[in-house]
Structure formats: C-alpha cells, structure tokens
Amino acid sequence: MNNIFNKITGAINHSLRFLFFAIVFNSFIIAQTVSNLKQFYSAIDSASSLLLIDLGNTKEIKLDLSLGKFYSVLGNQVRNNLLKNGIKLIDDSSTDKNTVTVNFVIDNCNVVYSQPERDGLFGDFYTERNIGVSGNYFISKNQAIKNFDIVKKDTVQIKDVEEIEDNSYPFTQGDIPEEPFFSSILEPVVAISAAAITIILFFSVRSK
C-alpha cells in the first residue's frame, strides 16, 4: 500500500513540476507577442522597401503621403525606413523641377483571424493572425504606378487578442470567429470521465 501511495505522490509532484514549467513557458510566449500595430509597421517597412528598389540611385525625393484619416499613424514609419536607407526628404516648398516626386498611398489595412484551434485536448486556443496592408506608389521619374499587397502571418493566443489590439486605432482590430462548439462540450466531458476513472481505480486498488 505504501508503494502505491509513494507512486501516486511521485506522479503528483511530477505533474506539478510540469505545470510550473508550462506556466513559465506560456508567460514567456505571451511576453514575446508582437502587437498588431507593430505588425503593421513591419508590413509598411516591406512596402517602402519595394519603393526603395524602384528608386534605384535616387537619393533625394519629395514625398507625398496619401494615408486618409485612418492610417496617418503609419506615415512616420514610411519616412523612417526611407531616411535610414539614405534617402533625403526634400521640403514640399521646393520648386526644383528636377526633384523626383513620390506619391505613396495606403488604401487598406486589415486584421483577419482564423478559426480558433486548441493546442492539445486541454490547451489554449490559438488563431492565425493575418495583418494586411495594400496600396500603391508613383515615382515621377518612372512615370509608373506600382501596387503592393503585403501580408504578415503568425499565430497568437485567443486570450491575448485584446492586449495586442489598440483601441486608439480601429484598423488594428479584427473579428474573432467563435470557438468550435464540440471542443467546448468535449473538454468537460473528458474531464469528468477522467475523474470518474481515477476514483474507480483508486477504490479498486484499495480493495485489493
């Protein structure tokens, strides 16, 4: 009987240690989750990098940003990426006819979450996050309009969605599909069944 008790105690201690490390690991993952706004910044960097390629050897431009009333927060991210890559931004008051003018337009930003899926039987729900930015740019010297459609994909926990969105910027928010019906029903059923089996096994051992 003592051997059985020791085995049960050992199993419980092992489970508690595993639970502790699981909590620490999950906390680390949460701390590393990037906000939706930062993902949009990353997408803007990708779009402006395409612009840099088409600028070629041009090092000075007059930049005109068309961001509408919703995406103005992204403007400085465009400027920053150009500046750190050696592009000089000329003041709008310049009248030099040889100045290359760039019109950079962002016409849509959106967040799309996929159907939540559980990580294991009793694990947390996760969703695939899709951050999308689309628009176009015009370079006067090239006389051509280039479209861009950038998508950043990763996976986030459902419980973190409220924290990674920003209420100040509605475009950082998206609709989350409801959790699967059968998953929410199955978990308590399995838990009750497991508890019942444990109780039956416990009394079976004691009776022997």
Side-chain angles (χ1 to χ4, degrees):
M1 185 67 183
N2 288 334
N3 289 336
I4 296 175
F5 178 78
N6 290 334
K7 289 181 178 179
I8 294 175
T9 303
I12 292 174
N13 290 334
H14 177 75
S15 299
L16 289 175
R17 285 196 298 270
F18 175 79
L19 180 61
F20 171 76
F21 286 115
I23 292 173
V24 172
F25 180 72
N26 283 335
S27 299
F28 175 77
I29 291 178
I30 292 173
Q32 298 300 310
T33 302
V34 177
S35 71
N36 287 359
L37 184 57
K38 287 186 176 180
Q39 283 291 78
F40 277 112
Y41 286 157
S42 177
I44 288 298
D45 284 343
S46 297
S48 54
S49 292
L50 295 175
L51 169 61
L52 284 165
I53 293 173
D54 284 336
L55 282 174
N57 296 325
T58 301
K59 295 301 179 183
E60 294 184 354
I61 65 171
K62 182 186 291 186
L63 180 63
D64 175 26
L65 293 174
S66 298
L67 309 177
K69 64 179 181 179
F70 298 112
Y71 312 132
S72 59
V73 68
L74 303 176
N76 280 346
Q77 193 68 22
V78 179
R79 295 185 182 96
N80 180 63
N81 198 37
L82 294 175
L83 289 170
K84 73 180 184 180
N85 281 280
I87 301 297
K88 181 180 179 181
L89 303 181
I90 299 176
D91 189 87
D92 289 342
S93 61
S94 174
T95 57
D96 187 350
K97 295 182 179 180
N98 295 320
T99 299
V100 175
T101 301
V102 173
N103 179 233
F104 190 94
V105 179
I106 299 176
D107 54 33
N108 188 45
C109 294
N110 59 50
V111 181
V112 178
Y113 300 109
S114 68
Q115 183 72 39
E117 294 185 5
R118 190 184 291 280
D119 182 21
L121 186 59
F122 296 106
D124 294 318
F125 276 102
Y126 286 81
T127 180
E128 183 181 79
R129 172 176 60 175
N130 293 268
I131 298 290
V133 174
S134 64
N136 59 77
Y137 55 83
F138 172 79
I139 304 175
S140 60
K141 72 170 184 177
N142 296 346
Q143 291 295 299
I145 295 176
K146 293 289 186 71
N147 296 308
F148 59 82
D149 191 355
I150 309 295
V151 178
K152 299 288 184 179
K153 295 183 179 182
D154 62 356
T155 302
V156 298
Q157 287 185 288
I158 290 294
K159 64 182 181 181
D160 293 335
V161 168
E162 186 174 348
E163 295 182 8
I164 61 178
E165 295 183 337
D166 194 322
N167 291 330
S168 299
Y169 305 109
F171 68 88
T172 67
Q173 303 170 10
D175 296 325
I176 305 176
E178 294 183 1
E179 297 175 0
F181 174 76
F182 287 106
S183 178
S184 60
I185 294 296
L186 181 62
E187 181 174 323
V189 171
V190 172
I192 293 172
S193 300
I197 293 173
T198 301
I199 294 172
I200 294 172
L201 291 175
F202 176 74
F203 284 105
S204 297
V205 171
R206 290 196 62 181
S207 64
K208 293 181 180 180

